Amino acid sequence: MKILNAYGRGRPDLVGEEDREFLLTRLRAGRRDIWEANIGAHLLALLAVHEFAPGGRVVRDGIEAVVAVRNPDGGVPFIPDYAVFFGALGGLALAETGADPLLLARIGEYLLQQQNAGGHWPYTERVTQDDVETAGAVIETLRAIDPVRYRTALDRGGAYLAGMANPDGGFPTYVSGHPSEIVMTANVVNALAPDWDTYSGILNPAVAFLLGAQQPDGTFERSWSLSEAHAIRRVLHALHRVPDGELPRFRQGIDQVRDRAEAYLHQTQNLDGGQTAGDTSDPISTVHSLSALSVLDGPETRERREQGLAHLLSRQRPDGGFTSKPDQVAPRPIPYNFPNMAGIYVLTALGDLRRHGHLPGCPPSAAAPPSSRTAAADEAWPLSPASWGSTLRTGTTTSSSARDPRDACWPTGSARTRPSTSP
């Protein structure tokens, strides 16, 4: 931006040779790849280089990289893929809804291989930038798949997150010392809560930060989502994980947050049972709300959950998937869309409802422990993780979203009879 601004003002003298070299070095390192898998930043960098080196190889290679990631409709996406981050979200959703252990084994090995030397994970392959959200998501997923097998990776990831804590108790997205964010802080609590004793020094301040961040209407800063319910669900799940021994100091604040959030979710539910990030109900906003309601138990909440589930079932396509409006925003507030995201979040909500005993016809159930893996899954561990990257990039890890949502009570491949009490 400095270079574009200087040349646009007719003041190239404001740009030093170190600025030009800084840009060229980073683009050359990627050769014919998108810089940090961010097409928006990549294009801005190419425009800047074009100002002082038009027609050079760096520009030509950069253009070829953009052409190579065009979508089938001829358009260019903002981000080519989110293989690691969405792979983690999809893996956790699948783990909590009884997916094939062989598939979970493949996802776990892929995510393990993406961990960097510093213990963190990038949001996709070919990226060096670490971030709190991806690390938290992967930690939750690896723990759900097999906390014993991935103990070392979990410890390294936990140490990375602990090092990102800010003095106010919150956590930023990218760099320690940057402003703390609500959803990032909740993500850390959700990821590290099973090891509370180990990380109590950062988790207790994080909970205090969350309790002080709610708005009077029950909402929080939305972070990377267009849906108010997204931040609410992440915070409520984080607070739900506070261990009994720590509750006395937080009880009053937790009760207030829960009451305000519950009132907001009730008041904003549409007449059709759905939730919205705009003018009409959409599946992603609806399932964010359902996930939040899974840990609430007010007198009206059961009815609200049932209405939300009924609406969700009415929005399922014949092929089993869901179509929703874009939910992610980056750079905030510019929205962008990944079609598989809706299916991932649907499974996430069903897993949350099932785990807390609120999915009609399904008993409360946690994700299957590692001991329940099949022999076929055990045989999958040595397989090359490189082959799983394409699976995650194409979104086929969310294939279980093609199942009827009412089948979320049963593991894949088992005999099942749908209960008559299902919605």
Side-chain angles (χ1 to χ4, degrees):
M1 296 303 295
K2 176 182 179 180
I3 293 174
L4 288 172
N5 181 57
Y7 277 83
R9 294 166 56 193
R11 292 291 309 279
D13 57 294
L14 296 176
V15 176
E17 188 58 35
E18 67 278 7
D19 297 316
R20 300 182 182 90
E21 190 59 30
F22 177 89
L23 204 56
L24 290 171
T25 299
R26 279 151 182 77
L27 287 173
R28 285 171 181 152
R31 291 298 301 276
R32 291 183 174 85
D33 211 350
I34 300 296
W35 181 80
E36 289 293 291
N38 185 321
I39 294 179
H42 182 84
L43 289 171
L44 286 173
L46 292 181
L47 288 171
V49 172
H50 182 73
E51 294 288 354
F52 60 83
R57 179 168 181 175
V58 169
V59 174
R60 293 198 304 272
D61 286 349
I63 292 173
E64 289 181 12
V66 174
V67 171
V69 297
R70 286 181 302 172
N71 284 329
D73 62 4
V76 177
F78 169 65
I79 299 290
D81 63 79
Y82 270 86
V84 179
F85 179 56
F86 282 175
L89 294 184
L92 182 61
L94 290 166
E96 295 189 343
T97 51
D100 183 354
L102 177 60
L103 176 59
L104 297 178
R106 293 162 59 181
I107 295 172
E109 290 302 284
Y110 172 78
L111 294 175
L112 177 65
Q113 294 301 317
Q114 302 309 310
Q115 189 173 32
N116 291 330
H120 50 76
W121 286 266
Y123 71 87
T124 193
E125 300 169 11
R126 312 171 307 282
V127 170
T128 59
Q129 174 68 59
D130 56 276
D131 70 271
V132 165
E133 186 164 36
T134 300
V138 175
I139 287 172
E140 282 196 78
T141 303
L142 293 182
R143 195 188 305 278
I145 293 174
D146 192 333
V148 176
R149 177 177 182 81
Y150 297 121
R151 185 70 260 171
T152 299
L154 292 171
D155 289 344
R156 293 177 62 219
Y160 159 74
L161 289 180
M164 293 292 287
N166 280 335
D168 62 4
F171 288 78
T173 298
Y174 296 113
V175 180
S176 179
H178 281 192
S180 296
E181 299 190 38
I182 308 304
V183 173
M184 298 307 116
T185 305
N187 289 342
V188 171
V189 176
N190 282 304
L192 301 184
D195 293 322
W196 200 283
D197 289 344
T198 301
Y199 298 106
S200 60
I202 62 166
L203 292 179
N204 286 326
V207 170
F209 176 84
L210 293 175
L211 295 180
Q214 190 179 37
Q215 301 300 313
D217 66 354
T219 63
F220 298 87
E221 194 277 319
R222 292 197 319 260
S223 189
W224 301 92
S225 173
L226 290 174
S227 172
E228 299 284 3
H230 175 255
I232 292 174
R233 81 172 177 89
R234 294 305 288 164
V235 171
L236 289 182
H237 280 262
L239 298 180
H240 189 75
R241 289 183 163 100
V242 175
D244 292 343
E246 303 291 348
L247 282 177
R249 73 170 82 178
F250 297 126
R251 172 60 68 189
Q252 183 176 355
I254 290 176
D255 287 346
Q256 177 175 277
V257 167
R258 287 168 57 89
D259 290 345
R260 285 177 172 177
E262 195 163 26
Y264 176 84
L265 294 172
H266 289 180
Q267 293 164 7
T268 56
Q269 187 175 41
N270 293 330
L271 293 177
D272 61 8
Q275 209 83 13
T276 181
D279 51 353
T280 59
S281 296
D282 65 273
I284 290 181
S285 296
T286 299
V287 295
H288 284 330
S289 178
L290 283 170
S291 288
L293 292 172
S294 72
V295 295
L296 297 173
D297 50 14
E300 296 181 35
T301 294
R302 177 176 179 178
E303 180 181 358
R304 299 289 183 173
R305 284 193 297 259
E306 291 175 351
Q307 292 171 349
L309 273 171
H311 174 77
L312 183 63
L313 291 173
S314 74
R315 298 296 298 270
Q316 190 175 32
R317 301 193 308 260
D319 67 356
F322 291 83
T323 300
S324 190
K325 63 183 64 174
D327 176 69
Q328 296 289 285
V329 286
R332 290 175 272 191
I334 301 174
Y336 62 97
N337 184 43
F338 275 88
N340 279 333
M341 184 184 296
I344 290 173
Y345 283 138
V346 167
L347 283 182
T348 298
L350 294 174
D352 291 339
L353 291 167
R354 174 196 185 196
R355 187 170 63 258
H356 297 290
H358 299 310
L359 195 60
C362 303
S365 176
S371 59
S372 68
R373 291 204 316 262
T374 64
D378 289 331
E379 293 172 0
W381 296 117
L383 296 177
S384 170
S387 62
W388 314 136
S390 60
T391 299
L392 294 171
R393 283 191 295 274
T394 58
T396 52
T397 60
T398 61
S399 60
S400 288
S401 64
R403 289 183 287 161
D404 191 304
R406 290 167 290 191
D407 288 344
C409 309
W410 299 271
T412 302
S414 64
R416 49 196 171 206
T417 303
R418 184 172 301 149
S420 59
T421 55
S422 294

